[in-house]
Amino acid sequence: MAEKMYHPNSELAREAHCASMEQYKRMHEKSIKEPVQFWGEIAKQFYWETPAIEDKFFSYNFDLNKGDIFIKWMEGASTNISFNLLDKNVKSGNGDKIAFYWEGNDPEDYSRLTYRKLLEETCRFANVLKSKDVSVGDKVVIYMPMILELPIAMLACTRIGAIHSVVFAGYSSDSLAERILDSKAKILITTDGVWRGEKLLLLKNICDEAAAKAKKHGHQLENCIVVAHLRRLNNPQAMDIANVSWDDDRDVWWHDEMEDAEASCYPVWMAAEDPLFILYTSGSTGKPKGVLHTIAGYLIYAATTFKYVFDYHPGDVYWCTADCGWITGHTYVVYGPLANGATSVIFEGTPFYPENDRYWSIIDKYKVTQFYTAPTAIRSLMKFGDELVKKHSLSTLKVLGSVGEPINTEAWLWFYNLIGHGKCSIADTFWQTETGGHVITPLPGATPMKPGSATFPFFGILPELLDEDGCVIEGEGEGYLVFRRPWPGMMRTLYGNHQRFQNTYFDRFNGFYCTGDGARRDADGYLWVTGRIDDMLNVSGHLMSTAEVESVLAEHSSVAEAAVVSKSHPVKGQCLYCFITPNAGMIFDEKLQVELKKKVRERIGPFAQPDVIQHAPNLPKTRSGKIMRRMLRKIAAGDRNIGDTSTLADETVIQLLFELRPCV
Ligand code: WT7
């Protein structure tokens, strides 16, 4: 059956930066055939203290036979990203423009920051960092809720050439400690705590635990800078709880340090390929990967994707619901919007507090024109029915964005019809922590949409589908999604482990960057991302590896072996389904299940909690001992169509596992 096409509304198309498929094709072709001219032209929008060397604007090697993989853009150029995002906007007369509207967890709690004020605060905090001996190349870990001090801290790092590593403030102290250790961070920035809906999170305590764990492994944090976020609420209960423990040699309050700090700070001019930030993402071996992005390429790519994919125009108010702990929050809360002088909303809370229509209230309150969120959020809000949405006007919206996982048709249509009133374009943006910015996405004024398809490559992106043997699939077909060429915003390495970078992304198909996702190309050339083809799971848009969860489960003294697979879930997209083989003599009971769930929550984070824990006296394995996850996925799904079992060492396991399957 041919899917219905949805065309951009003509009003939107008329004004759009890219206003037709013809224009898109022309620009895409130029970006591929003449990358230096294409990106060189875009780079002119920014300030470069020194220009790129004439014939060294772009160089790379994607061929392992020719040596190490490398990607370089704008060699020889130097700049400062905070200068381009802040000073440049202030100098051009936008100092009084709102950079961020901040909406707190409590609807009565809100504020705003102009570009001028954001520049001042950034400089102040950069001076604070300097006073703590932070300088070029030092690592700063940020573990904070979505408050304005978070982008200020990130930007302050860039001001002085320090490398930020933001850790999502939903991660456990173990995960935080692991990231502090791997990045060898000097400084940790956090808050006393935060309210998320009706839940209080005591972040400073988690930081204390993490710091102690890092210390045990021989790494001493020099300072912990704490924003008094709970205290400032003047809520007696919060005041009491926020009485955090304090290490006088290490801990300082943000407001104390800021009080005397100068509001100006000369930017450090950094080389184009100097590191900008490290952001950890799950790896299929279980150990997180420190994805490293560099300055110049990331800046021009973040800026360009933001401008075209959200079709941002002066006067628009843009809102991305992602947390800065994820790449979406880096590129599309901080860097992309500010590089375009945009006005955005930052929201601290959850979609469900105080009521389940909080998102829709915020859209009306700030007259949001572009709204960027995740399929899992859309699905969880659909549950509450349409009436709650219809109480709000939502009439300012022009572009809706989706990211994190494939969006199912039902959610797409609800988003399009109910939230977008059938007149907004939907940008289903496919990308990854590693890609730095959108790589496959519609452009709102140009691309006819098919619900569930991320459509076509962005400028500079050359996707291919490969079969098992690495042969390119032309035309219609399904295969491994890879990219033939680097684009400015792609990652440069895994921090401290270039070998792992090469193994993970280039070994399987030499000559190509391998995404780890599968995709299908239809008869019209549309790309449909089908999901991970490695041992990764995507729970509510959070990527994690089966190995990571398995190793936590296997640490329990009653567990002999654990195997984790994904199972589809109506709201989360996927959830974790775990098979547990207890040690001899150990009983598999309710208590064990509760303990295991708790362990995963504590060790990785609440979002990783398994939905199902099943007893598995044995696991299906090949004769060489490899666990057959393909079969476990079928059992988890309750699908008896198990396929060929002849490679199993013991074929009777399957029957037994079906019998032990809990009713889920
Ligand atoms: C993985 C990357 C990029 C920011 C959020 C996640 C999946 C992401 C889509 C989409 C289908 C998608 C892929 C990808 N994914 N967006 N629009 N359609 N799948 O970043 O944690 O690095 O995860 O998310 O599987 O590989 P991430």
Side-chain angles (χ1 to χ4, degrees):
M1 196 183 77
E3 320 78 355
K4 189 173 164 204
M5 286 259 206
Y6 292 79
H7 291 272
N9 102 42
S10 50
E11 206 177 315
L12 190 79
R14 207 171 321 119
E15 306 276 314
H17 293 301
C18 182
S20 67
M21 276 311 265
E22 290 67 46
Q23 189 187 347
Y24 160 73
K25 282 181 189 147
R26 256 196 329 272
M27 289 178 75
H28 186 260
E29 190 177 290
K30 171 147 181 162
S31 73
I32 297 298
K33 288 197 175 143
E34 300 169 42
V36 175
Q37 286 79 349
F38 184 88
W39 295 107
E41 201 51 48
I42 287 171
K44 285 185 192 155
Q45 300 161 19
F46 297 104
Y47 175 78
W48 307 95
E49 175 73 3
T50 53
I53 300 163
E54 188 84 47
D55 56 353
K56 286 206 164 173
F57 192 91
F58 172 38
S59 61
Y60 76 103
N61 173 41
F62 263 16
D63 183 353
L64 286 166
N65 299 323
K66 290 193 183 145
D68 283 343
I69 306 293
F70 73 87
I71 302 119
K72 287 182 185 169
W73 288 88
M74 299 192 68
E75 235 184 304
S78 63
T79 190
N80 181 283
I81 233 182
S82 77
F83 184 87
N84 276 295
L85 269 42
L86 305 175
D87 308 59
K88 207 169 150 289
N89 279 311
V90 172
K91 283 183 210 294
S92 67
N94 279 331
D96 294 327
K97 192 172 172 184
I98 305 285
F100 293 124
Y101 286 110
W102 181 75
E103 172 84 4
N105 184 58
D106 181 336
E108 302 295 309
D109 195 14
Y110 52 89
S111 64
R112 53 178 65 182
L113 265 187
T114 61
Y115 272 88
R116 180 173 297 108
K117 188 79 179 145
L118 181 58
L119 171 60
E120 279 174 21
E121 294 292 293
T122 297
C123 286
R124 266 209 185 92
F125 195 64
N127 286 324
V128 170
L129 290 174
K130 280 207 267 189
S131 77
K132 302 290 167 215
D133 252 353
V134 178
S135 65
V136 173
D138 285 338
K139 301 350 163 265
V140 174
V141 169
I142 301 176
Y143 186 75
M144 285 169 109
M146 286 297 277
I147 56 176
L148 292 169
E149 287 85 348
L150 172 47
I152 290 167
M154 292 165 74
L155 294 164
C157 289
T158 71
R159 192 81 177 171
I160 58 171
I163 304 167
H164 61 70
S165 170
V166 184
V167 177
F168 173 58
Y171 273 113
S172 66
S173 62
D174 277 334
S175 299
L176 176 58
E178 192 175 12
R179 285 155 177 77
I180 290 171
L181 274 169
D182 191 79
S183 64
K184 301 175 202 73
K186 210 167 176 172
I187 302 264
L188 174 59
I189 307 170
T190 189
T191 68
D192 43 6
V194 65
W195 292 96
R196 293 256 315 153
E198 281 165 340
K199 224 165 73 196
L200 180 64
L201 302 174
L202 296 175
L203 301 184
K204 172 63 163 63
N205 292 351
I206 298 173
C207 287
D208 287 344
E209 284 170 31
K213 285 171 188 166
K215 198 170 176 178
K216 247 201 226 148
H217 288 87
H219 181 78
Q220 173 75 49
L221 273 172
E222 288 178 19
N223 286 108
C224 181
I225 305 179
V226 189
V227 176
H229 181 53
L230 282 183
R231 290 194 164 195
R232 115 187 193 292
L233 291 174
N234 263 337
N235 166 334
Q237 189 198 355
M239 289 285 282
D240 186 38
I241 307 171
N243 248 334
V244 290
S245 64
W246 209 251
D247 174 342
D248 285 330
D249 296 330
R250 186 195 66 195
D251 302 341
V252 293
W253 288 108
W254 172 290
H255 56 267
D256 286 344
E257 300 294 315
M258 289 289 265
E259 205 170 75
D260 300 324
E262 285 272 353
S264 69
C265 172
Y266 194 74
V268 175
W269 303 115
M270 302 291 294
E273 285 296 340
D274 279 339
L276 174 63
F277 64 81
I278 300 168
L279 181 61
Y280 287 88
T281 183
S282 294
S284 55
T285 60
K287 191 177 149 41
K289 300 176 295 199
V291 170
L292 186 118
H293 285 284
T294 56
I295 294 170
Y298 178 83
L299 168 64
I300 57 180
Y301 200 69
T304 311
T305 48
F306 178 81
K307 172 178 167 184
Y308 285 97
V309 174
F310 299 116
D311 195 42
Y312 188 86
H313 292 269
D316 286 349
V317 178
Y318 159 90
W319 179 26
C320 166
T321 64
D323 192 286
C324 283
W326 311 113
I327 189 70
T328 310
H330 283 62
T331 312
Y332 300 113
V333 173
V334 181
Y335 292 103
L338 296 177
N340 283 274
T343 296
S344 333
V345 177
I346 288 188
F347 176 44
E348 178 186 40
T350 89
F352 319 112
Y353 180 83
E355 300 297 337
N356 296 320
D357 60 351
R358 187 71 189 278
Y359 274 6
W360 324 131
S361 306
I362 295 175
I363 290 173
D364 279 358
K365 175 170 176 187
Y366 296 101
K367 303 192 168 41
V368 170
T369 43
Q370 286 92 350
F371 176 58
Y372 191 29
T373 193
T376 183
I378 298 169
R379 287 192 299 265
S380 66
L381 291 166
M382 281 168 75
K383 279 194 318 205
F384 304 115
D386 297 0
E387 287 316 307
L388 214 50
V389 179
K390 289 183 181 154
K391 277 175 38 193
H392 304 271
S393 132
L394 309 181
S395 60
T396 47
L397 289 170
K398 297 193 287 190
V399 178
L400 302 173
S402 168
V403 61
E405 56 179 310
I407 178 166
N408 49 309
T409 311
E410 202 194 346
W412 196 99
L413 290 173
W414 189 83
F415 205 27
Y416 184 81
N417 290 318
L418 204 69
I419 307 305
H421 297 302
K423 65 177 179 55
C424 299
S425 287
I426 296 194
D428 174 1
T429 60
F430 169 83
W431 60 297
Q432 309 175 298
T433 306
E434 293 88 338
T435 68
H438 307 138
V439 284
I440 298 180
T441 175
L443 301 183
T447 318
M449 296 157 277
K450 294 187 185 187
S453 169
T455 76
F456 300 107
F458 190 73
F459 308 137
I461 304 293
L462 206 53
E464 302 281 5
L465 301 180
L466 303 183
D467 67 16
E468 285 294 334
D469 305 320
C471 296
V472 172
I473 300 168
E474 307 277 1
E476 263 182 274
E478 186 166 344
Y480 294 88
L481 176 64
V482 301
F483 299 117
R484 196 185 269 284
R485 282 265 199 94
W487 55 97
M490 86 174 283
M491 71 188 299
R492 301 300 195 255
T493 189
L494 289 174
Y495 176 68
N497 203 340
H498 199 65
Q499 192 57 49
R500 188 174 178 201
F501 166 71
Q502 300 190 154
N503 295 346
T504 310
Y505 304 102
F506 295 92
D507 237 11
R508 177 79 170 81
F509 301 111
N510 186 36
F512 299 93
Y513 165 82
C514 185
T515 59
D517 285 288
R520 178 168 69 81
R521 192 188 291 111
D522 72 15
D524 301 323
Y526 280 66
L527 290 166
W528 302 72
V529 177
T530 50
R532 304 292 307 188
I533 31 138
D534 48 14
D535 291 330
M536 303 289 274
L537 298 129
N538 190 326
V539 180
S540 302
H542 300 285
L543 209 57
M544 63 190 93
S545 72
T546 53
E548 187 177 6
V549 183
E550 282 165 5
S551 72
V552 171
L553 293 169
E555 280 171 17
H556 192 285
S557 58
S558 301
V559 173
E561 198 168 20
V564 176
V565 296
S566 66
K567 179 180 186 302
S568 70
H569 185 281
V571 171
K572 301 184 199 177
Q574 295 185 332
C575 67
L576 289 131
Y577 192 113
C578 312
F579 294 87
I580 299 292
T581 309
N583 276 318
M586 295 296 173
I587 313 164
F588 182 88
D589 56 6
E590 187 67 32
K591 182 166 158 276
L592 177 62
Q593 294 178 45
V594 171
E595 279 173 20
L596 290 174
K597 285 186 184 175
K598 182 159 167 268
K599 203 169 162 67
V600 176
R601 281 179 71 91
E602 285 172 2
R603 290 292 307 280
I604 302 174
F607 56 86
Q609 170 162 304
D611 277 46
V612 186
I613 306 228
Q614 168 173 349
H615 184 202
N618 276 304
L619 290 168
K621 289 182 182 169
T622 61
R623 284 177 186 83
S624 62
K626 197 171 176 311
I627 298 173
M628 302 288 279
R629 286 168 209 284
R630 173 173 64 80
M631 295 176 189
L632 291 176
R633 276 193 288 271
K634 293 267 185 180
I635 295 164
D639 178 357
R640 290 198 172 256
N641 227 331
I642 221 86
D644 180 19
T645 56
S646 61
T647 50
L648 282 179
D650 172 8
E651 291 186 63
T652 64
V653 234
I654 299 294
Q655 184 53 33
L656 182 62
L657 289 180
F658 270 114
E659 280 164 24
L660 290 171
R661 187 172 180 273
C663 299
V664 283

